[in-house]
Short mmCIF file of all heavy atoms in Angstrom, two decimals:
data_model
loop_
_atom_site.label_atom_id
_atom_site.label_comp_id
_atom_site.label_asym_id
_atom_site.label_seq_id
_atom_site.Cartn_x
_atom_site.Cartn_y
_atom_site.Cartn_z
N MET A 14 -59.81 -55.00 -36.79
CA MET A 14 -60.09 -54.28 -37.98
C MET A 14 -60.22 -55.28 -39.13
O MET A 14 -59.33 -56.08 -39.36
CB MET A 14 -58.94 -53.31 -38.24
CG MET A 14 -59.04 -52.52 -39.50
SD MET A 14 -57.79 -51.23 -39.56
CE MET A 14 -56.57 -52.04 -40.55
N ASN A 15 -61.33 -55.28 -39.82
CA ASN A 15 -61.53 -56.12 -40.99
C ASN A 15 -61.10 -55.30 -42.20
O ASN A 15 -61.54 -54.18 -42.38
CB ASN A 15 -63.00 -56.51 -41.09
CG ASN A 15 -63.25 -57.49 -42.19
OD1 ASN A 15 -62.77 -57.35 -43.29
ND2 ASN A 15 -64.05 -58.50 -41.88
N THR A 16 -60.23 -55.85 -43.04
CA THR A 16 -59.65 -55.08 -44.13
C THR A 16 -59.79 -55.78 -45.47
O THR A 16 -59.98 -56.99 -45.53
CB THR A 16 -58.15 -54.85 -43.88
OG1 THR A 16 -57.50 -56.12 -43.86
CG2 THR A 16 -57.92 -54.13 -42.59
N ALA A 17 -59.68 -55.00 -46.53
CA ALA A 17 -59.66 -55.54 -47.89
C ALA A 17 -58.91 -54.56 -48.79
O ALA A 17 -59.26 -53.39 -48.88
CB ALA A 17 -61.07 -55.76 -48.41
N SER A 18 -57.87 -55.02 -49.45
CA SER A 18 -57.01 -54.18 -50.27
C SER A 18 -57.71 -53.56 -51.46
O SER A 18 -57.34 -52.50 -51.93
CB SER A 18 -55.82 -54.98 -50.80
OG SER A 18 -55.15 -55.62 -49.78
N LYS A 19 -58.71 -54.24 -51.98
CA LYS A 19 -59.38 -53.76 -53.17
C LYS A 19 -60.71 -53.05 -52.84
O LYS A 19 -61.54 -52.82 -53.71
CB LYS A 19 -59.63 -54.92 -54.12
CG LYS A 19 -58.40 -55.78 -54.36
CD LYS A 19 -57.94 -55.79 -55.76
CE LYS A 19 -56.77 -56.68 -56.06
NZ LYS A 19 -55.62 -56.65 -55.26
N CYS A 20 -60.88 -52.67 -51.61
CA CYS A 20 -62.07 -51.97 -51.14
C CYS A 20 -61.90 -50.46 -51.33
O CYS A 20 -60.78 -49.95 -51.27
CB CYS A 20 -62.29 -52.29 -49.66
SG CYS A 20 -63.63 -51.38 -48.89
N GLY A 21 -62.97 -49.77 -51.51
CA GLY A 21 -62.93 -48.31 -51.65
C GLY A 21 -62.44 -47.60 -50.40
O GLY A 21 -62.05 -46.43 -50.45
N PHE A 22 -62.44 -48.29 -49.27
CA PHE A 22 -62.01 -47.69 -48.01
C PHE A 22 -60.58 -48.09 -47.64
O PHE A 22 -60.14 -47.88 -46.51
CB PHE A 22 -62.95 -48.09 -46.87
CG PHE A 22 -64.36 -47.61 -47.08
CD1 PHE A 22 -65.37 -48.50 -47.41
CD2 PHE A 22 -64.67 -46.26 -46.97
CE1 PHE A 22 -66.66 -48.06 -47.62
CE2 PHE A 22 -65.96 -45.80 -47.18
CZ PHE A 22 -66.96 -46.71 -47.50
N THR A 23 -59.82 -48.64 -48.58
CA THR A 23 -58.47 -49.12 -48.30
C THR A 23 -57.56 -48.04 -47.75
O THR A 23 -56.66 -48.32 -46.97
CB THR A 23 -57.86 -49.75 -49.57
OG1 THR A 23 -58.72 -50.81 -49.98
CG2 THR A 23 -56.49 -50.31 -49.31
N SER A 24 -57.79 -46.80 -48.11
CA SER A 24 -56.94 -45.71 -47.61
C SER A 24 -56.99 -45.62 -46.09
O SER A 24 -56.12 -45.00 -45.47
CB SER A 24 -57.35 -44.38 -48.23
OG SER A 24 -58.68 -44.07 -47.87
N GLN A 25 -57.96 -46.27 -45.48
CA GLN A 25 -58.06 -46.26 -44.02
C GLN A 25 -56.92 -47.03 -43.37
O GLN A 25 -56.74 -46.93 -42.16
CB GLN A 25 -59.41 -46.84 -43.57
CG GLN A 25 -60.57 -45.98 -43.95
CD GLN A 25 -61.90 -46.60 -43.58
OE1 GLN A 25 -61.98 -47.75 -43.14
NE2 GLN A 25 -62.97 -45.85 -43.76
N TYR A 26 -56.14 -47.79 -44.13
CA TYR A 26 -54.97 -48.47 -43.56
C TYR A 26 -54.03 -47.46 -42.90
O TYR A 26 -53.37 -47.78 -41.93
CB TYR A 26 -54.17 -49.20 -44.65
CG TYR A 26 -54.69 -50.53 -45.10
CD1 TYR A 26 -54.91 -50.77 -46.44
CD2 TYR A 26 -54.91 -51.56 -44.20
CE1 TYR A 26 -55.36 -52.00 -46.88
CE2 TYR A 26 -55.36 -52.79 -44.63
CZ TYR A 26 -55.58 -53.01 -45.98
OH TYR A 26 -56.01 -54.22 -46.41
N ALA A 27 -53.93 -46.28 -43.46
CA ALA A 27 -52.98 -45.28 -42.96
C ALA A 27 -53.32 -44.83 -41.54
O ALA A 27 -52.42 -44.61 -40.73
CB ALA A 27 -52.94 -44.08 -43.90
N ASP A 28 -54.59 -44.69 -41.21
CA ASP A 28 -54.98 -44.19 -39.88
C ASP A 28 -54.62 -45.13 -38.74
O ASP A 28 -54.05 -44.68 -37.74
CB ASP A 28 -56.46 -43.83 -39.86
CG ASP A 28 -56.78 -42.62 -40.73
OD1 ASP A 28 -55.88 -41.76 -40.90
OD2 ASP A 28 -57.90 -42.54 -41.25
N PRO A 29 -54.90 -46.44 -38.83
CA PRO A 29 -54.48 -47.32 -37.74
C PRO A 29 -52.96 -47.36 -37.59
O PRO A 29 -52.44 -47.49 -36.48
CB PRO A 29 -55.02 -48.69 -38.15
CG PRO A 29 -56.14 -48.40 -39.07
CD PRO A 29 -55.77 -47.14 -39.77
N GLU A 30 -52.22 -47.21 -38.69
CA GLU A 30 -50.76 -47.19 -38.61
C GLU A 30 -50.28 -45.95 -37.85
O GLU A 30 -49.40 -46.03 -37.00
CB GLU A 30 -50.14 -47.23 -40.01
CG GLU A 30 -48.64 -47.27 -40.02
CD GLU A 30 -48.04 -48.54 -39.44
OE1 GLU A 30 -48.76 -49.53 -39.22
OE2 GLU A 30 -46.83 -48.55 -39.18
N LYS A 31 -50.90 -44.80 -38.12
CA LYS A 31 -50.55 -43.57 -37.38
C LYS A 31 -50.87 -43.74 -35.89
O LYS A 31 -50.08 -43.35 -35.03
CB LYS A 31 -51.34 -42.38 -37.93
CG LYS A 31 -50.88 -41.91 -39.27
CD LYS A 31 -51.77 -40.78 -39.75
CE LYS A 31 -51.54 -40.47 -41.21
NZ LYS A 31 -52.50 -39.49 -41.72
N LEU A 32 -52.03 -44.31 -35.60
CA LEU A 32 -52.43 -44.53 -34.21
C LEU A 32 -51.45 -45.47 -33.52
O LEU A 32 -51.03 -45.21 -32.39
CB LEU A 32 -53.84 -45.11 -34.18
CG LEU A 32 -54.54 -45.19 -32.84
CD1 LEU A 32 -54.76 -43.80 -32.27
CD2 LEU A 32 -55.88 -45.91 -32.99
N TYR A 33 -51.08 -46.54 -34.20
CA TYR A 33 -50.12 -47.48 -33.63
C TYR A 33 -48.79 -46.78 -33.35
O TYR A 33 -48.19 -46.98 -32.28
CB TYR A 33 -49.89 -48.66 -34.59
CG TYR A 33 -48.73 -49.51 -34.15
CD1 TYR A 33 -48.85 -50.37 -33.06
CD2 TYR A 33 -47.50 -49.43 -34.79
CE1 TYR A 33 -47.78 -51.13 -32.63
CE2 TYR A 33 -46.42 -50.19 -34.36
CZ TYR A 33 -46.57 -51.04 -33.28
OH TYR A 33 -45.50 -51.78 -32.85
N ASN A 34 -48.32 -45.97 -34.28
CA ASN A 34 -47.03 -45.28 -34.07
C ASN A 34 -47.07 -44.33 -32.88
O ASN A 34 -46.06 -44.14 -32.21
CB ASN A 34 -46.61 -44.55 -35.34
CG ASN A 34 -46.11 -45.49 -36.40
OD1 ASN A 34 -45.49 -46.50 -36.10
ND2 ASN A 34 -46.40 -45.19 -37.65
N LEU A 35 -48.22 -43.77 -32.59
CA LEU A 35 -48.36 -42.89 -31.43
C LEU A 35 -48.38 -43.65 -30.11
O LEU A 35 -47.86 -43.19 -29.10
CB LEU A 35 -49.64 -42.06 -31.53
CG LEU A 35 -49.63 -40.90 -32.51
CD1 LEU A 35 -51.04 -40.31 -32.64
CD2 LEU A 35 -48.65 -39.83 -32.06
N TYR A 36 -49.00 -44.83 -30.11
CA TYR A 36 -49.25 -45.55 -28.85
C TYR A 36 -48.70 -46.98 -28.86
O TYR A 36 -49.20 -47.84 -28.14
CB TYR A 36 -50.75 -45.60 -28.58
CG TYR A 36 -51.36 -44.25 -28.46
CD1 TYR A 36 -52.14 -43.72 -29.49
CD2 TYR A 36 -51.17 -43.47 -27.32
CE1 TYR A 36 -52.71 -42.46 -29.38
CE2 TYR A 36 -51.72 -42.21 -27.21
CZ TYR A 36 -52.50 -41.72 -28.24
OH TYR A 36 -53.05 -40.46 -28.14
N LYS A 37 -47.66 -47.25 -29.64
CA LYS A 37 -47.19 -48.63 -29.81
C LYS A 37 -46.71 -49.29 -28.52
O LYS A 37 -46.66 -50.51 -28.44
CB LYS A 37 -46.12 -48.72 -30.88
CG LYS A 37 -44.91 -47.91 -30.64
CD LYS A 37 -44.01 -48.03 -31.87
CE LYS A 37 -43.01 -46.90 -31.90
NZ LYS A 37 -42.40 -46.79 -33.20
N ASP A 38 -46.41 -48.49 -27.51
CA ASP A 38 -46.01 -49.09 -26.24
C ASP A 38 -47.20 -49.67 -25.48
O ASP A 38 -47.02 -50.42 -24.52
CB ASP A 38 -45.26 -48.07 -25.38
CG ASP A 38 -46.08 -46.83 -25.07
OD1 ASP A 38 -46.92 -46.43 -25.91
OD2 ASP A 38 -45.87 -46.23 -24.00
N ARG A 39 -48.44 -49.36 -25.91
CA ARG A 39 -49.62 -49.88 -25.20
C ARG A 39 -50.79 -50.21 -26.13
O ARG A 39 -51.92 -50.37 -25.68
CB ARG A 39 -50.06 -48.91 -24.13
CG ARG A 39 -50.27 -47.50 -24.62
CD ARG A 39 -50.33 -46.53 -23.47
NE ARG A 39 -49.88 -45.25 -24.00
CZ ARG A 39 -50.41 -44.12 -23.71
NH1 ARG A 39 -51.40 -44.05 -22.86
NH2 ARG A 39 -49.96 -43.00 -24.24
N LEU A 40 -50.52 -50.32 -27.44
CA LEU A 40 -51.59 -50.59 -28.40
C LEU A 40 -51.13 -51.63 -29.42
O LEU A 40 -50.01 -51.58 -29.91
CB LEU A 40 -51.97 -49.31 -29.14
CG LEU A 40 -53.00 -49.45 -30.27
CD1 LEU A 40 -54.38 -49.76 -29.70
CD2 LEU A 40 -53.05 -48.19 -31.10
N VAL A 41 -52.01 -52.55 -29.72
CA VAL A 41 -51.78 -53.52 -30.79
C VAL A 41 -52.92 -53.36 -31.78
O VAL A 41 -54.09 -53.33 -31.39
CB VAL A 41 -51.76 -54.97 -30.25
CG1 VAL A 41 -51.68 -55.97 -31.38
CG2 VAL A 41 -50.62 -55.16 -29.27
N VAL A 42 -52.59 -53.21 -33.04
CA VAL A 42 -53.60 -53.13 -34.09
C VAL A 42 -53.56 -54.44 -34.86
O VAL A 42 -52.50 -54.87 -35.33
CB VAL A 42 -53.32 -51.95 -35.06
CG1 VAL A 42 -54.32 -51.93 -36.20
CG2 VAL A 42 -53.34 -50.62 -34.30
N VAL A 43 -54.71 -55.07 -34.98
CA VAL A 43 -54.79 -56.36 -35.67
C VAL A 43 -55.74 -56.20 -36.85
O VAL A 43 -56.86 -55.75 -36.70
CB VAL A 43 -55.31 -57.46 -34.72
CG1 VAL A 43 -55.39 -58.79 -35.43
CG2 VAL A 43 -54.44 -57.56 -33.48
N GLY A 44 -55.25 -56.56 -38.04
CA GLY A 44 -56.08 -56.52 -39.24
C GLY A 44 -56.38 -57.93 -39.71
O GLY A 44 -55.50 -58.78 -39.71
N PHE A 45 -57.60 -58.16 -40.07
CA PHE A 45 -58.02 -59.47 -40.56
C PHE A 45 -58.49 -59.33 -42.00
O PHE A 45 -59.59 -58.86 -42.24
CB PHE A 45 -59.18 -60.02 -39.71
CG PHE A 45 -58.81 -60.28 -38.30
CD1 PHE A 45 -59.03 -59.32 -37.32
CD2 PHE A 45 -58.23 -61.47 -37.94
CE1 PHE A 45 -58.68 -59.55 -36.00
CE2 PHE A 45 -57.88 -61.72 -36.62
CZ PHE A 45 -58.11 -60.75 -35.66
N PRO A 46 -57.66 -59.70 -42.97
CA PRO A 46 -58.11 -59.63 -44.35
C PRO A 46 -59.24 -60.62 -44.59
O PRO A 46 -59.20 -61.74 -44.10
CB PRO A 46 -56.88 -59.99 -45.18
CG PRO A 46 -55.84 -60.44 -44.23
CD PRO A 46 -56.30 -60.19 -42.84
N ALA A 47 -60.25 -60.17 -45.31
CA ALA A 47 -61.39 -61.04 -45.59
C ALA A 47 -61.83 -60.87 -47.04
O ALA A 47 -61.94 -59.75 -47.53
CB ALA A 47 -62.55 -60.70 -44.66
N ASN A 48 -62.05 -61.96 -47.71
CA ASN A 48 -62.52 -61.94 -49.09
C ASN A 48 -64.01 -62.26 -49.15
O ASN A 48 -64.52 -62.72 -50.16
CB ASN A 48 -61.71 -62.95 -49.92
CG ASN A 48 -61.85 -62.68 -51.40
OD1 ASN A 48 -61.98 -61.54 -51.83
ND2 ASN A 48 -61.84 -63.74 -52.20
N ASP A 49 -64.72 -62.00 -48.07
CA ASP A 49 -66.12 -62.37 -47.95
C ASP A 49 -67.10 -61.35 -48.51
O ASP A 49 -68.27 -61.63 -48.61
CB ASP A 49 -66.46 -62.60 -46.47
CG ASP A 49 -65.64 -63.71 -45.86
OD1 ASP A 49 -65.29 -64.66 -46.57
OD2 ASP A 49 -65.32 -63.61 -44.66
N PHE A 50 -66.64 -60.16 -48.85
CA PHE A 50 -67.54 -59.09 -49.25
C PHE A 50 -67.23 -58.65 -50.68
O PHE A 50 -66.47 -57.72 -50.90
CB PHE A 50 -67.43 -57.91 -48.28
CG PHE A 50 -67.66 -58.32 -46.86
CD1 PHE A 50 -66.60 -58.49 -45.99
CD2 PHE A 50 -68.94 -58.56 -46.39
CE1 PHE A 50 -66.80 -58.88 -44.68
CE2 PHE A 50 -69.16 -58.97 -45.08
CZ PHE A 50 -68.09 -59.13 -44.23
N GLY A 51 -67.77 -59.34 -51.65
CA GLY A 51 -67.60 -58.96 -53.04
C GLY A 51 -66.22 -59.27 -53.61
O GLY A 51 -65.81 -58.66 -54.59
N GLY A 52 -65.49 -60.20 -53.02
CA GLY A 52 -64.19 -60.58 -53.55
C GLY A 52 -63.16 -59.46 -53.53
O GLY A 52 -62.33 -59.37 -54.42
N GLN A 53 -63.19 -58.63 -52.49
CA GLN A 53 -62.31 -57.47 -52.43
C GLN A 53 -60.94 -57.76 -51.83
O GLN A 53 -60.11 -56.87 -51.73
CB GLN A 53 -63.00 -56.35 -51.63
CG GLN A 53 -64.24 -55.84 -52.31
CD GLN A 53 -64.94 -54.76 -51.50
OE1 GLN A 53 -64.40 -54.20 -50.56
NE2 GLN A 53 -66.16 -54.45 -51.88
N GLU A 54 -60.68 -59.00 -51.43
CA GLU A 54 -59.37 -59.37 -50.88
C GLU A 54 -58.97 -60.74 -51.39
O GLU A 54 -58.89 -61.71 -50.64
CB GLU A 54 -59.40 -59.33 -49.36
CG GLU A 54 -58.03 -59.45 -48.73
CD GLU A 54 -57.08 -58.38 -49.21
OE1 GLU A 54 -56.40 -58.58 -50.23
OE2 GLU A 54 -57.02 -57.32 -48.59
N PRO A 55 -58.69 -60.85 -52.70
CA PRO A 55 -58.38 -62.16 -53.27
C PRO A 55 -56.92 -62.60 -53.10
O PRO A 55 -56.60 -63.75 -53.39
CB PRO A 55 -58.69 -61.96 -54.76
CG PRO A 55 -58.39 -60.52 -55.00
CD PRO A 55 -58.81 -59.82 -53.71
N ASP A 56 -56.05 -61.72 -52.65
CA ASP A 56 -54.61 -62.03 -52.59
C ASP A 56 -54.24 -62.88 -51.37
O ASP A 56 -55.00 -63.00 -50.42
CB ASP A 56 -53.80 -60.74 -52.57
CG ASP A 56 -53.98 -59.94 -53.86
OD1 ASP A 56 -54.17 -60.55 -54.93
OD2 ASP A 56 -53.93 -58.69 -53.79
N SER A 57 -53.04 -63.43 -51.41
CA SER A 57 -52.51 -64.21 -50.28
C SER A 57 -52.07 -63.28 -49.16
O SER A 57 -51.92 -62.07 -49.37
CB SER A 57 -51.31 -65.04 -50.74
OG SER A 57 -50.19 -64.18 -50.97
N ASN A 58 -51.84 -63.83 -47.98
CA ASN A 58 -51.38 -63.02 -46.85
C ASN A 58 -50.06 -62.32 -47.18
O ASN A 58 -49.86 -61.16 -46.80
CB ASN A 58 -51.21 -63.88 -45.61
CG ASN A 58 -52.54 -64.30 -45.03
OD1 ASN A 58 -53.59 -63.78 -45.40
ND2 ASN A 58 -52.52 -65.25 -44.12
N ILE A 59 -49.16 -62.99 -47.88
CA ILE A 59 -47.87 -62.39 -48.26
C ILE A 59 -48.09 -61.21 -49.19
O ILE A 59 -47.50 -60.14 -49.02
CB ILE A 59 -46.95 -63.45 -48.92
CG1 ILE A 59 -46.66 -64.59 -47.96
CG2 ILE A 59 -45.67 -62.80 -49.44
CD1 ILE A 59 -45.89 -64.21 -46.71
N GLN A 60 -48.96 -61.37 -50.19
CA GLN A 60 -49.25 -60.28 -51.13
C GLN A 60 -49.92 -59.10 -50.43
O GLN A 60 -49.63 -57.94 -50.72
CB GLN A 60 -50.14 -60.79 -52.26
CG GLN A 60 -49.44 -61.76 -53.19
CD GLN A 60 -50.42 -62.44 -54.13
OE1 GLN A 60 -51.45 -62.96 -53.70
NE2 GLN A 60 -50.09 -62.43 -55.41
N ILE A 61 -50.82 -59.40 -49.51
CA ILE A 61 -51.51 -58.35 -48.77
C ILE A 61 -50.51 -57.56 -47.93
O ILE A 61 -50.54 -56.33 -47.89
CB ILE A 61 -52.62 -58.95 -47.86
CG1 ILE A 61 -53.70 -59.59 -48.72
CG2 ILE A 61 -53.21 -57.88 -46.94
CD1 ILE A 61 -54.61 -60.53 -47.95
N GLY A 62 -49.60 -58.28 -47.26
CA GLY A 62 -48.58 -57.61 -46.45
C GLY A 62 -47.70 -56.70 -47.29
O GLY A 62 -47.41 -55.57 -46.91
N ALA A 63 -47.28 -57.18 -48.47
CA ALA A 63 -46.45 -56.37 -49.36
C ALA A 63 -47.20 -55.13 -49.83
O ALA A 63 -46.64 -54.03 -49.88
CB ALA A 63 -46.00 -57.21 -50.56
N PHE A 64 -48.48 -55.28 -50.15
CA PHE A 64 -49.31 -54.16 -50.56
C PHE A 64 -49.41 -53.10 -49.46
O PHE A 64 -49.25 -51.91 -49.70
CB PHE A 64 -50.72 -54.67 -50.92
CG PHE A 64 -51.73 -53.58 -51.15
CD1 PHE A 64 -51.85 -53.00 -52.39
CD2 PHE A 64 -52.55 -53.16 -50.12
CE1 PHE A 64 -52.78 -52.00 -52.61
CE2 PHE A 64 -53.49 -52.16 -50.32
CZ PHE A 64 -53.61 -51.57 -51.57
N CYS A 65 -49.64 -53.55 -48.24
CA CYS A 65 -49.78 -52.62 -47.10
C CYS A 65 -48.47 -51.89 -46.81
O CYS A 65 -48.47 -50.70 -46.53
CB CYS A 65 -50.24 -53.37 -45.85
SG CYS A 65 -51.92 -54.00 -45.98
N ARG A 66 -47.36 -52.61 -46.88
CA ARG A 66 -46.05 -51.98 -46.66
C ARG A 66 -45.76 -50.95 -47.75
O ARG A 66 -45.37 -49.82 -47.46
CB ARG A 66 -44.95 -53.03 -46.63
CG ARG A 66 -44.80 -53.73 -45.31
CD ARG A 66 -43.56 -54.60 -45.26
NE ARG A 66 -43.61 -55.71 -46.21
CZ ARG A 66 -44.25 -56.85 -46.00
NH1 ARG A 66 -44.90 -57.05 -44.87
NH2 ARG A 66 -44.26 -57.80 -46.91
N LYS A 67 -45.95 -51.34 -49.00
CA LYS A 67 -45.61 -50.47 -50.13
C LYS A 67 -46.49 -49.22 -50.18
O LYS A 67 -45.99 -48.11 -50.38
CB LYS A 67 -45.77 -51.25 -51.43
CG LYS A 67 -45.53 -50.41 -52.67
CD LYS A 67 -45.77 -51.22 -53.93
CE LYS A 67 -45.67 -50.31 -55.15
NZ LYS A 67 -46.11 -51.01 -56.36
N ASN A 68 -47.78 -49.37 -50.02
CA ASN A 68 -48.71 -48.27 -50.23
C ASN A 68 -49.02 -47.43 -49.00
O ASN A 68 -49.41 -46.27 -49.13
CB ASN A 68 -50.01 -48.81 -50.82
CG ASN A 68 -49.79 -49.36 -52.21
OD1 ASN A 68 -49.45 -48.64 -53.12
ND2 ASN A 68 -49.96 -50.67 -52.35
N TYR A 69 -48.88 -48.03 -47.80
CA TYR A 69 -49.29 -47.32 -46.59
C TYR A 69 -48.23 -47.31 -45.50
O TYR A 69 -48.48 -46.81 -44.40
CB TYR A 69 -50.60 -47.90 -46.06
CG TYR A 69 -51.70 -47.72 -47.07
CD1 TYR A 69 -52.09 -48.77 -47.90
CD2 TYR A 69 -52.29 -46.49 -47.25
CE1 TYR A 69 -53.05 -48.60 -48.85
CE2 TYR A 69 -53.27 -46.31 -48.20
CZ TYR A 69 -53.64 -47.35 -49.01
OH TYR A 69 -54.61 -47.16 -49.97
N GLY A 70 -47.06 -47.88 -45.76
CA GLY A 70 -46.00 -47.88 -44.76
C GLY A 70 -46.31 -48.70 -43.54
O GLY A 70 -45.70 -48.53 -42.49
N VAL A 71 -47.26 -49.61 -43.66
CA VAL A 71 -47.67 -50.43 -42.53
C VAL A 71 -46.57 -51.43 -42.20
O VAL A 71 -46.08 -52.15 -43.07
CB VAL A 71 -49.00 -51.17 -42.86
CG1 VAL A 71 -49.35 -52.15 -41.76
CG2 VAL A 71 -50.11 -50.16 -43.07
N LYS A 72 -46.18 -51.43 -40.95
CA LYS A 72 -45.23 -52.44 -40.47
C LYS A 72 -46.07 -53.63 -40.05
O LYS A 72 -46.83 -53.54 -39.11
CB LYS A 72 -44.41 -51.87 -39.31
CG LYS A 72 -43.52 -50.72 -39.75
CD LYS A 72 -43.09 -49.91 -38.54
CE LYS A 72 -42.61 -48.54 -38.94
NZ LYS A 72 -43.67 -47.63 -39.38
N ILE A 73 -45.93 -54.71 -40.76
CA ILE A 73 -46.87 -55.80 -40.62
C ILE A 73 -46.16 -57.13 -40.34
O ILE A 73 -45.08 -57.36 -40.84
CB ILE A 73 -47.73 -55.90 -41.90
CG1 ILE A 73 -48.85 -56.88 -41.76
CG2 ILE A 73 -46.88 -56.22 -43.09
CD1 ILE A 73 -49.86 -56.80 -42.89
N SER A 74 -46.78 -57.92 -39.53
CA SER A 74 -46.31 -59.28 -39.30
C SER A 74 -47.35 -60.20 -39.91
O SER A 74 -48.49 -60.24 -39.47
CB SER A 74 -46.19 -59.53 -37.80
OG SER A 74 -45.88 -60.87 -37.57
N VAL A 75 -46.97 -60.90 -40.95
CA VAL A 75 -47.91 -61.77 -41.66
C VAL A 75 -47.87 -63.16 -41.05
O VAL A 75 -46.82 -63.74 -40.87
CB VAL A 75 -47.56 -61.84 -43.16
CG1 VAL A 75 -48.48 -62.81 -43.89
CG2 VAL A 75 -47.63 -60.46 -43.78
N LYS A 76 -49.02 -63.68 -40.74
CA LYS A 76 -49.15 -65.03 -40.18
C LYS A 76 -49.92 -65.89 -41.14
O LYS A 76 -50.77 -65.50 -41.84
CB LYS A 76 -49.87 -64.99 -38.83
CG LYS A 76 -49.17 -64.15 -37.80
CD LYS A 76 -47.91 -64.78 -37.36
CE LYS A 76 -47.24 -63.93 -36.31
NZ LYS A 76 -45.93 -64.23 -36.01
#
């Protein structure tokens, strides 16, 4: 999943999290933040992780 916090479709973060919670014993969801499309992801990985946790309840491992 290619993601961007400042994109109009950011609310879509919630759906992969719901899917993961249903199938976490056999599903891995991987998000790749990218700032390549109109500068919609200018933050650091740490900031992006905090944003996802705070706004969408995403349990995230930041690398």
Side-chain angles (χ1 to χ4, degrees):
M14 177 171 98
N15 186 315
T16 63
S18 307
K19 311 242 183 312
C20 174
F22 298 108
T23 302
S24 62
Q25 293 177 353
Y26 280 127
D28 292 332
E30 182 66 13
K31 288 177 192 173
L32 191 63
Y33 170 75
N34 285 325
L35 285 172
Y36 301 105
K37 60 185 161 195
D38 59 329
R39 52 196 153 139
L40 175 70
V41 174
V42 176
V43 180
F45 296 94
N48 197 34
D49 299 327
F50 305 102
Q53 295 179 14
E54 191 57 271
D56 297 328
S57 71
N58 288 348
I59 299 296
Q60 291 169 310
I61 296 164
F64 171 86
C65 292
R66 278 189 296 279
K67 177 183 174 189
N68 294 296
Y69 298 100
V71 173
K72 295 161 199 72
I73 188 169
S74 173
V75 177
K76 300 290 181 194

